[in-house]
Amino acid sequence: MASHGPLQPVPLQHVHIDDPFWSPRLRTCLERTIPHVLRQCEATGRIANFARAAGRLGGPHQGIFYDDSDVFKAIEGAAYALQLAPDPALEAYIDDLIKQIAAAQEPDGYLYTARTIDPAKAPEGAGPERWSNLRVSHELYNAGHLYEAAIAVHQASGKRTLLEVALRNADLVAAEFGQEGRRDVPGHQEIELGLMRLYGHTGERKYLDLARFFIDERGRAHGRELYGEYAQDHLPVRAQERAVGHAVRAGYLYAALAEAAGLTGDQGYADVGERLWEDVTGNKLALTGGMGARRGNEGFGLGYELPTRTAYNETCAAVANILWNQRLFLRSGVSKYIDILERALYNGFLAGLGMDGETFFYYNPLASDGRSPFNPDVPLARQAWYRTACCPTNVARLLPQLGGLIYAAGEGELCVNLYAGGGAEIEVGGAQVRIEQESGLPWEGQVRLDVRIAMSTTFALKLRIPHWALGRPLPGGLYRYLDQPVGEPSLIVNGKAHPLEIESGYAVIRREWGGENRVELDLPLVVRRVAAHPEADELAGKIALERGPLVYAFEEEDNPGGVLGRRLPPRAEFSTEHRPELLGGVTVIEVRPSRMIAVPYYAWANRGLGEMAVWLEG
């Protein structure tokens, strides 16, 4: 059976979430976001393209050649939603949609509506023949999302129709590509992740081998032109030292490296993955966990290039960052990766979805005057859809997977990575452990865990102690707190204080567990002033505010007269107030004596256009 490494995520179906912060967001995603993206896929012809490819509907291909992937991602999100809450109408809709996809597949397994509808008139970019323009065509990218959707559907319902479609396609790709076949790689990574998931789901080694081929072939010119830094195709992967190019492509590649390292034990993959992670977290990560400084390549700039108004930080890049760090953690068991995951989840990712559940940001700047920095005639507001709609569908598929990020288990250990109310049933050391969690995060730092186990067994319960609770914004030296810490984490087990023994970023409680137990963790939540590395020129002399896992932003809505160019008084004091009526319920920061108000960054731009700034002059 496939293994990520020493740890496995607790399956989504074994976790339930009942949390004041996350439950409303999950409910909105299930009730509004997923139906919305499916409606948009219908309205924009994405779904009709499958009917056209099957010969059931006339007319040319509609949209862009990578639009099939949005349908697959919407199905994946719907499948996770069905695991969380049965919905017969949604299930019937997805079943019918899968039938259309199956009918559009060519007899040998090829599935790419942009070519199948009219092979003689494939859209520009698709290439004149199959696989002839992989730099651009997204044929293999689409396939990766198909595989992930198929596995999600099979896990949700046991139905195999889409899984059989995926397997036929993967078998075709495996027959076409490899050391003895086509020596080429996808211009946009994703199939690597899909193939490794197929390997884990089926046990078929050829899918893992094919994923490794696409990883190892990148940067090697075997009769083809290299695609360059933009596609991380400038050097063999094992020789890459810096994160370059398109941030989403890079993030998917780096996630694939981490997963391949866990599945195979290949230390070379692990070493290059760590180098690239250190480059990103030490030089190129936005305070919000966003990746991608530049619009021109939707990707990385130079070290310490951290713009504010023109920062790109694509929502899909935050998704990629979450996927990458989850896999790094599973391979290593080290909490620093979850620290980055948490930062990206609460800030860079969550900002990409409006509170209505039906509007989205494609890119996420850290300052704004209410207009696009790339076109001042365009207001900077979340949109209901985009012509390139990768971000809305990525949001729809990631948010329902939240439960799978909270816990992980291995031989003799159970890790609690994220603090969210609810619980899980987890097998540890052959014993069934039921854990119930109450959490005040992100507004309050108290966490309570009830651990119930019928058969006594010894294992280590590991509770992540975030960097922000230990006096550092995140691993590395890219950002630092300017003020002294106030308070320290504390731990109580069954009513008695327990020493905070931290290993790899976790407070470890190693003991024989039996019956009912209560564990209480208190994480200090205070307002912290953040400064960037001195070499980050655009942030020189500027200060941002954080509280717990949340980055804060100042909006004109709360600060009449605007916020751009405003100063944060050097001796300012801060107070906090929870306002349940504001933005779905948020804790605001008030700056005294200026009376400026900051709200969580994820909540900005939900009250109309206006100025916003994360970083103020110090």
Side-chain angles (χ1 to χ4, degrees):
M1 183 175 177
S3 172
H4 294 88
L7 293 163
Q8 294 287 336
V10 175
L12 186 62
Q13 58 268 34
H14 294 167
V15 180
H16 72 274
I17 294 176
D18 183 9
D19 182 79
F21 182 82
W22 286 111
S23 291
R25 286 158 178 80
L26 285 170
R27 186 165 52 249
T28 298
C29 182
L30 271 56
E31 294 177 356
R32 303 195 68 175
T33 306
I34 290 171
H36 174 79
V37 299
L38 287 167
R39 287 194 301 270
Q40 290 290 340
C41 284
E42 286 187 351
T44 57
R46 284 165 166 80
I47 291 175
N49 281 334
F50 291 98
R52 294 187 181 100
R56 298 175 177 178
L57 186 68
H61 180 269
Q62 188 174 349
I64 310 174
F65 43 80
Y66 45 68
D67 283 352
D68 291 358
S69 66
D70 293 322
V71 179
F72 301 145
K73 285 190 285 181
I75 291 173
E76 184 184 359
Y80 293 130
L82 291 170
Q83 291 187 48
L84 299 175
D87 183 334
L90 177 62
E91 185 172 0
Y93 179 90
I94 295 301
D95 287 347
D96 180 70
L97 180 50
I98 288 171
K99 290 176 184 177
Q100 296 184 56
I101 292 169
Q105 187 172 38
E106 297 187 18
D108 66 353
Y110 188 74
L111 182 57
Y112 184 62
T113 65
R115 186 179 317 284
T116 302
I117 290 171
D118 188 349
K121 297 180 181 178
E124 184 179 357
E129 299 173 349
R130 290 183 181 184
W131 330 117
S132 61
N133 191 24
L134 288 180
R135 176 198 293 266
V136 174
S137 68
H138 287 62
E139 284 159 287
L140 298 177
Y141 167 85
N142 288 1
H145 282 302
L146 166 66
Y147 306 162
E148 297 207 78
I151 292 167
V153 170
H154 190 233
Q155 289 174 331
S157 66
K159 297 174 183 176
R160 292 187 59 90
T161 302
L162 193 60
L163 182 61
E164 294 298 336
V165 170
L167 293 173
R168 283 193 295 273
N169 183 268
D171 289 344
L172 172 67
V173 177
E176 289 276 345
F177 290 86
Q179 299 288 342
E180 306 303 322
R182 291 178 180 270
R183 305 291 294 268
D184 208 340
V185 298
H188 195 313
Q189 300 87 331
E190 159 61 21
I191 193 172
E192 301 87 349
L193 292 170
L195 285 166
M196 283 187 278
R197 290 203 63 197
L198 276 183
Y199 165 62
H201 197 66
T202 66
E204 286 285 346
R205 178 79 188 195
K206 64 181 177 182
Y207 301 134
L208 174 60
D209 291 341
L210 183 57
R212 295 189 70 182
F213 166 79
F214 285 131
I215 292 170
D216 292 337
E217 191 69 11
R218 194 164 293 277
R220 301 182 184 277
H222 289 119
R224 68 177 180 90
E225 180 185 357
L226 294 181
Y227 305 152
E229 288 191 351
Y230 177 76
Q232 299 78 43
D233 191 37
H234 57 300
L235 288 171
V237 167
R238 294 173 192 264
Q240 294 187 24
E241 302 279 347
R242 298 178 299 109
V244 297
H246 190 277
V248 182
R249 287 167 163 84
Y252 287 174
L253 172 63
Y254 303 161
L257 273 170
E259 184 149 0
L263 291 170
T264 67
D266 189 318
Q267 189 60 40
Y269 287 154
D271 290 345
V272 69
E274 187 66 17
R275 286 201 307 269
L276 293 165
W277 184 86
E278 289 179 353
D279 182 53
V280 171
T281 58
N283 300 283
K284 298 170 181 173
L285 190 70
L287 187 62
T288 55
M291 299 193 305
R294 298 178 178 177
R295 181 197 188 198
N297 63 349
E298 292 188 317
F300 297 108
L302 302 175
Y304 304 113
E305 185 179 340
L306 298 167
T308 55
R309 289 185 63 185
T310 60
Y312 209 69
N313 296 331
E314 186 180 337
T315 299
C316 283
V319 171
N321 202 13
I322 291 166
L323 299 177
W324 177 23
N325 279 278
Q326 169 74 344
R327 286 160 172 79
L328 286 168
F329 159 74
L330 292 171
R331 181 190 62 78
S332 67
V334 178
S335 76
K336 65 181 182 180
Y337 305 116
I338 302 297
D339 286 346
I340 301 297
L341 182 157
E342 179 186 63
R343 180 170 293 269
L345 177 67
Y346 274 101
N347 302 288
F349 167 76
L350 206 53
L353 177 64
M355 301 196 72
D356 58 7
E358 297 183 359
T359 54
F360 311 87
F361 271 142
Y362 192 101
Y363 60 91
N364 296 273
L366 278 73
S368 174
D369 63 0
R371 317 298 295 182
S372 166
F374 313 117
N375 184 349
D377 294 330
V378 176
L380 184 56
R382 293 180 183 85
Q383 304 296 314
W385 197 244
Y386 294 87
R387 185 167 180 262
T388 294
C390 50
C391 295
T393 50
N394 243 349
V395 168
R397 78 179 180 120
L398 181 72
L399 196 49
Q401 297 183 65
L402 175 66
L405 303 175
I406 297 174
Y407 306 98
E411 187 64 33
E413 60 182 329
L414 169 58
C415 298
V416 183
N417 286 328
L418 298 176
Y419 298 110
E425 294 180 354
I426 308 164
E427 182 177 323
V428 185
Q432 288 297 319
V433 178
R434 182 171 184 82
I435 189 166
E436 293 290 336
Q437 181 181 167
E438 291 184 12
S439 169
L441 287 169
W443 314 124
E444 302 295 337
Q446 290 76 39
V447 177
R448 189 179 78 189
L449 300 142
D450 288 327
V451 182
R452 300 183 177 93
I453 182 167
M455 181 181 71
S456 294
T457 188
T458 298
F459 65 90
L461 178 65
K462 297 185 172 182
L463 310 180
R464 183 177 64 91
I465 307 299
H467 273 74
W468 52 259
L470 295 172
R472 296 171 62 194
L474 71 166
L478 186 55
Y479 302 103
R480 69 188 189 280
Y481 291 139
L482 294 177
D483 35 22
Q484 295 299 313
V486 178
E488 295 181 350
S490 63
L491 187 61
I492 296 173
V493 179
N494 292 332
K496 296 181 180 180
H498 192 281
L500 205 67
E501 299 173 352
I502 298 180
E503 300 175 9
S504 299
Y506 289 87
V508 180
I509 310 168
R510 189 175 284 106
R511 54 171 288 177
E512 182 177 358
W513 299 86
E516 297 192 2
N517 305 268
R518 175 159 293 178
V519 177
E520 296 167 271
L521 176 66
D522 193 354
L523 299 171
L525 278 189
V526 295
V527 179
R528 306 301 301 270
R529 284 180 273 214
V530 186
H533 192 283
E535 292 188 39
D537 292 342
E538 186 164 333
L539 302 181
K542 294 184 178 179
I543 295 172
L545 299 182
E546 290 186 358
R547 184 174 183 267
L550 297 179
V551 174
Y552 274 71
F554 295 88
E555 282 196 279
E556 187 173 1
E557 178 76 16
D558 306 300
N559 301 280
V563 298
L564 297 177
R566 295 281 291 270
R567 299 187 66 85
L568 196 62
R571 297 186 181 277
E573 296 181 353
F574 308 103
S575 61
T576 60
E577 178 188 4
H578 192 73
R579 298 184 181 178
E581 78 290 347
L582 179 64
L583 294 166
V586 297
T587 294
V588 302
I589 298 173
E590 182 175 348
V591 183
R592 300 194 304 264
S594 66
R595 302 191 64 81
M596 294 181 70
I597 297 291
V599 298
Y601 171 78
Y602 75 77
W604 86 279
N606 278 283
R607 296 174 290 172
L609 300 177
E611 293 184 357
M612 179 277 292
V614 169
W615 294 93
L616 297 185
E617 297 291 337

